[in-house]
Amino acid sequence: MISWNLLRLEGAAIGDVAELLERERPDVLLMQEVTQHMDMLPARMPGHYHRLPWPGRIHGLAVWSRHNFATPQVLPLPASALPGRVPRRRSQIVQIGEITFANVHLSHGQLLNRRQLLRIAAALHGKPSAIIGDYNAVGPSLIPGFADVGPREVTHFGGNVVPFRLDRCLAHGLACTFAGTLDFGPSDHRPIVLDLQVAEARVRRHPLQRARRRLVKIRAAFR
């Protein structure tokens, strides 16, 4: 799967996204800062598409997949109490196959975007899931039960100078076999690429069974 912040009207257009899909052939593409112009994407690249606009903004979130999916859920996120702090952030929750994806473009406030992550993690209810997108986070994002499996490369340069790893992935119940980045293209964010699959469940053994297995090993060592 791929996640890419398109940079609204100044960044990646339909042709750029279609070229990315043709070249990389992902199962899922999550997009941030998406405008209504991207609604013609299914005409260029057959697949299933849904865009979630943000109230009062020209951009929002969108998902494209070669696989069919139900209409994504909209999850309102915690907001700043300061007047004029807009837009109200929302997450796009989409179930594709066995994995639930939370497409995000979080707030710049470092305490606030952690609160938003906790809200999303609670809403996923322990399902095999991934929170992916533009975190706007500096430093680690520690969410109980979730592992940071995204690429460690820089994905954005603030003011075209300061390097940041803003585009990330926190996963629960998933194994990540590959994580990397692609070239910026016309956006100011690098797309991130991840190969995710549902992790195999660990078999829980009764304590007495574990003790018996250790005893067998000890006995074998003295034979």
Side-chain angles (χ1 to χ4, degrees), residues 30-187:
L30 301 180
M31 296 168 277
Q32 303 87 42
E33 294 198 24
V34 185
T35 67
Q36 63 181 359
H37 300 83
M38 200 56 59
D39 292 351
M40 296 302 295
L41 179 61
R44 292 284 303 271
M45 289 297 297
H48 305 273
Y49 169 88
H50 187 276
R51 180 172 62 90
L52 174 64
W54 279 356
R57 287 293 184 268
I58 64 169
H59 62 85
L61 305 170
V63 55
W64 175 95
S65 176
R66 63 181 67 255
H67 308 289
N68 193 13
F69 55 83
T71 301
Q73 298 178 355
V74 179
L75 180 65
L77 301 180
S80 172
L82 296 176
R85 296 303 295 269
V86 293
R88 292 295 296 260
R89 308 273 172 162
R90 304 194 289 179
S91 177
Q92 188 181 40
I93 310 294
V94 56
Q95 179 81 31
I96 301 178
E98 298 180 275
I99 302 176
T100 303
F101 295 96
N103 187 10
V104 300
H105 187 185
L106 303 179
S107 296
H108 290 84
Q110 298 305 298
L111 293 178
L112 181 55
N113 58 34
R114 267 62 174 194
R115 287 175 53 208
Q116 292 169 344
L117 282 172
L118 288 170
R119 173 71 179 90
I120 298 167
L124 295 176
H125 301 299
K127 301 175 182 177
S129 53
I131 307 171
I132 308 179
D134 183 351
Y135 277 35
N136 278 318
V138 178
S141 298
L142 304 177
I143 305 298
F146 284 76
D148 186 346
V149 300
R152 295 303 192 265
E153 294 96 328
V154 169
T155 66
H156 175 75
F157 286 93
N160 294 323
V161 176
V162 184
F164 290 106
R165 184 174 71 97
L166 299 185
D167 303 86
R168 305 188 184 187
C169 174
L170 288 175
H172 171 78
L174 300 177
C176 179
T177 58
F178 175 82
T181 60
L182 303 174
D183 292 336
F184 282 93
S187 175

